[in-house]
């Protein structure tokens, strides 16, 4: 299958490439994108395979429109999340809301 990859200079590309190699896969990328949305559309059009965020594809997996690689043990690529908070001042409201949403999303994924 054609592999749709993130832009080569990106940290995401490095992370995905290293993870796929750990599963014994050596993808040959045929298309590069900075947009997971574009990559998802191409996959849904049967133009190739891609590593995409779980929350983006969860409903497609449930409906059977998409399948995970790895058969009985699906391939998962953990992505570290880094947050920094300055102790000397309060975070802007928008950042506080983003942090709460990220925490809720992580809790939902863990449930």
């Amino acid at each position: 299958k054609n592999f749709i990859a993130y832009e080569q200079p990106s940290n995401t590309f490095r992370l995905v490439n290293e993870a796929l190699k750990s599963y014994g896969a050596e993808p040959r990328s045929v298309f590069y994108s900075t947009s997971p949305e574009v990559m998802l559309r191409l996959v849904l059009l049967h133009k190739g395979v891609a590593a995409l965020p779980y929350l983006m594809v969860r409903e497609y997996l449930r409906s059977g429109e998409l399948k995970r690689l790895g058969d009985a043990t699906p391939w998962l690529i953990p992505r570290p999340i880094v947050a920094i908070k300055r102790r000397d001042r309060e975070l802007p409201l928008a950042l506080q809301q983003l942090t709460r949403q990220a925490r809720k999303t992580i809790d939902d994924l863990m449930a």
Side-chain angles (χ1 to χ4, degrees), residues 92-105:
L93 182 59
L95 194 50
Q96 290 177 33
Q97 291 170 338
L98 176 64
T99 302
R100 279 194 297 275
Q101 181 60 40
R103 186 173 293 124
K104 181 185 179 317
T105 300

Side-chain angles (χ1 to χ4, degrees), residues 60-74:
Y60 297 104
L61 292 170
R62 287 182 185 153
S63 71
E65 288 181 76
L66 293 180
K67 295 188 189 299
R68 291 182 183 193
L69 293 176
D71 299 323
T73 314

Side-chain angles (χ1 to χ4, degrees), residues 49-110:
V49 297
L52 296 166
Y54 174 73
L55 289 179
M56 176 181 277
V57 298
R58 173 174 51 187
E59 295 306 317
Y60 297 104
L61 292 170
R62 287 182 185 153
S63 71
E65 288 181 76
L66 293 180
K67 295 188 189 299
R68 291 182 183 193
L69 293 176
D71 299 323
T73 314
W75 294 358
L76 298 174
I77 303 173
R79 176 81 188 237
I81 298 173
V82 179
I84 299 171
K85 179 176 181 184
R86 288 183 52 182
R87 295 179 191 268
D88 61 336
R89 67 179 192 162
E90 199 61 29
L91 291 174
L93 182 59
L95 194 50
Q96 290 177 33
Q97 291 170 338
L98 176 64
T99 302
R100 279 194 297 275
Q101 181 60 40
R103 186 173 293 124
K104 181 185 179 317
T105 300
I106 291 169
D107 290 343
D108 289 348
L109 281 172
M110 300 304 280

